Amino acid sequence: MEKESNIEYLKRYGEEMDQFLDIQFEKGVRYDSPAKAYEDFKNYYDKRLKAAGQAGKRIVTNTYDSFS
């Protein structure tokens, strides 16, 4: 059985972005345009994936879409 510490769990891309932007908003970060917000998120997300890869973690994403 694989250890939990060797797994990096990610939500769907849009959910990750929403969470990132909520945290940035709480920190007082404001963006001049959606493009700048997306670029900041993309940099964060790419760094997160790279760090997980360098640490030898397996990336697990939730790709299940549910409709209510």
Side-chain angles (χ1 to χ4, degrees):
M1 184 171 201
E2 192 169 10
K3 293 181 181 179
E4 288 289 318
S5 62
N6 289 336
I7 299 173
E8 179 79 17
Y9 291 98
L10 297 174
K11 299 174 188 161
R12 288 185 9 229
Y13 196 77
E15 291 172 330
E16 287 284 340
M17 185 170 179
D18 288 343
Q19 182 179 349
F20 172 81
L21 292 175
D22 287 346
I23 291 168
Q24 294 298 86
F25 184 80
E26 289 174 8
K27 290 179 179 178
V29 177
R30 302 296 184 265
Y31 296 99
D32 296 335
S33 69
K36 289 183 181 180
Y38 175 75
E39 188 63 30
D40 197 20
F41 169 71
K42 184 179 176 304
N43 289 332
Y44 158 81
Y45 194 82
D46 290 346
K47 286 178 186 176
R48 187 170 168 194
L49 290 177
K50 183 177 180 179
Q54 289 176 338
K57 293 186 178 185
R58 184 168 62 96
I59 308 296
V60 176
T61 58
N62 176 10
T63 57
Y64 176 74
D65 290 324
S66 62
F67 298 97
S68 50

